[in-house]
Amino acid sequence: MGSGSSKESSKPMKEHGPLHYTLKVESFSSIRSLLNASGEDCITSSEFSAGGCKWVLKIHWELKDDKDNAYISFYLKLIDKLQPGEIVTAMFRFYVQNRIQGNYVVVQDVIGRQFSIDKSEWGIPRMLTVSEVLDTSNGYILDDCCVVGVEVFPAKREHKTGVLTVVRMRSVRPYTWKVANFSGLSDAELPSPVYTTDGISWRLAVYPKGDISQVKGESLSIFFQLEDRSVFASGNRVFIKYKISIKDQLRNNSYHTSVSHWFDANITSWGHSAFIPLSRLKNRSNGYLENDELIIKVTFEAMLRITNV
């Protein structure tokens, strides 16, 4: 992970929650299953401010079948762009709510940590075991929801709450884009019409002959792009698992790949420079360019949103 670890105190209880950031994880079991299936071992929160700096909370869990020997670790990451030699010193506390009793387990860094260009992330490794969290008698999960948070000192009393939710995929329809006269397209980027899923506007971008020098003239490039960055202006984030496919129009099959990725105000585009070799795409027996038309389909398989409220 390349993250610094911190000496920690014991785990005292506090009646009040964190001053600066709270993350409420709804539909915990569904989110955990989705991220595990996608090979994701980390949740990164939406942005929050403390001490005049911008931060994110990162929660890592070990993907092991043995839950008694698998751990969850908490980290604090400074996301401000620092100058060479610039250092931000901070202490921090991580919170996990006992939702039965209404109080919080607190683990505190007891040494001020120096955040810099070279070391922007510090935390408490192996703060809890997975089995502790899943044991309902401990109260960390109630009604399939858990609440965690962080305080950073010295800090202004600026607090945000991020809510992590599952988007019901039955309401999200696949998107199909028909690209006509493919053989006559130039090397330039070809954008699709804009479409909207769960209030977020996206588009596809195709480079008919490749987007970078390594694949020019060799591969078709396809990217999934955020169109309206204002959705993420307050630090919101979205995780999307989706499948991009090219239709075989002769056999009603497809050439496809699945993608899982987090998007935010800084990461607005994700895709494949070498999506499919042009030799394969243009081979008439494969049926991808019947009547010189390329049919691209995006199927949304899962979506999570972290929204500051």
Side-chain angles (χ1 to χ4, degrees):
M1 237 179 306
S3 304
S5 63
S6 166
K7 292 182 180 179
E8 62 190 82
S9 68
S10 59
K11 300 174 184 175
M13 304 296 292
K14 284 186 175 290
E15 296 298 322
H16 66 80
L19 292 175
H20 302 123
Y21 185 80
T22 302
L23 177 62
K24 183 179 181 182
V25 182
E26 299 178 339
S27 303
F28 178 87
S29 58
S30 297
I31 290 171
R32 180 171 176 268
S33 297
L34 167 62
L35 296 181
N36 282 353
S38 302
E40 293 279 335
D41 66 351
C42 178
I43 289 176
T44 301
S45 76
S46 48
E47 299 175 9
F48 65 95
S49 296
C53 298
K54 291 183 179 180
W55 311 84
V56 292
L57 169 64
K58 298 182 71 174
I59 304 170
H60 292 261
W61 61 88
E62 297 174 356
L63 302 177
K64 293 181 180 179
D65 293 330
D66 183 1
K67 297 180 179 62
D68 291 326
N69 292 305
Y71 290 86
I72 298 176
S73 304
F74 283 60
Y75 290 89
L76 177 69
K77 182 178 178 67
L78 177 67
I79 61 172
D80 279 345
K81 292 183 179 179
L82 300 180
Q83 299 299 316
E86 186 178 3
I87 291 174
V88 174
T89 301
M91 295 178 64
F92 46 85
R93 295 174 184 159
F94 296 118
Y95 286 67
V96 182
Q97 186 182 37
N98 181 325
R99 304 196 71 234
I100 296 174
Q101 299 178 9
N103 53 14
Y104 292 80
V105 169
V106 180
V107 180
Q108 178 174 336
D109 165 74
V110 296
I111 300 175
R113 296 296 168 178
Q114 293 187 332
F115 294 80
S116 64
I117 292 177
D118 297 324
K119 180 84 69 177
S120 62
E121 188 173 318
W122 288 94
I124 309 292
R126 297 191 163 194
M127 185 168 132
L128 296 167
T129 66
V130 172
S131 60
E132 280 182 285
V133 173
L134 297 181
D135 185 345
T136 55
S137 66
N138 290 327
Y140 297 134
I141 299 175
L142 182 65
D143 297 328
D144 206 23
C145 175
C146 69
V147 176
V148 300
V150 63
E151 290 179 345
V152 188
F153 300 97
K156 300 175 183 177
R157 294 181 63 90
E158 299 178 40
H159 185 278
K160 284 188 177 180
T161 295
V163 179
L164 176 59
T165 56
V166 178
V167 176
R168 303 304 173 190
M169 299 312 297
R170 282 179 291 183
S171 63
V172 181
R173 297 181 179 180
Y175 173 76
T176 301
W177 180 28
K178 295 182 179 181
V179 182
N181 302 315
F182 183 84
S183 62
L185 297 176
S186 68
D187 294 0
E189 173 186 322
L190 178 67
S192 75
V194 175
Y195 60 103
T196 301
T197 57
D198 196 49
I200 303 174
S201 296
W202 309 88
R203 67 182 176 95
L204 294 176
V206 165
Y207 293 82
K209 299 177 183 178
D211 70 315
I212 56 176
S213 58
Q214 292 90 328
V215 298
K216 278 289 185 183
E218 300 292 333
S219 297
L220 175 76
S221 303
I222 301 180
F223 293 89
F224 186 76
Q225 298 181 342
L226 171 66
E227 179 67 16
D228 182 6
R229 298 191 183 197
S230 65
V231 174
F232 299 127
S234 61
N236 299 335
R237 308 180 77 231
V238 62
F239 171 86
I240 300 182
K241 183 178 181 182
Y242 58 96
K243 180 171 70 176
I244 295 183
S245 58
I246 293 177
K247 185 177 181 180
D248 173 354
Q249 300 170 56
L250 295 179
R251 287 165 288 271
N252 202 31
N253 292 325
S254 68
Y255 177 93
H256 61 267
T257 186
S258 292
V259 182
S260 300
H261 201 70
W262 285 97
F263 294 86
D264 55 31
N266 298 313
I267 303 174
T268 60
S269 178
W270 198 257
H272 302 270
S273 290
F275 183 81
I276 185 174
L278 290 178
S279 58
R280 182 170 182 173
L281 180 69
K282 295 179 179 181
N283 187 328
R284 296 188 63 181
S285 65
N286 290 328
Y288 300 132
L289 289 172
E290 284 298 290
N291 300 314
D292 204 23
E293 183 178 66
L294 179 69
I295 301 177
I296 304 172
K297 183 178 182 179
V298 180
T299 303
F300 297 92
E301 300 176 345
M303 186 182 299
L304 308 177
R305 295 190 69 168
I306 297 182
T307 306
N308 282 333
V309 296

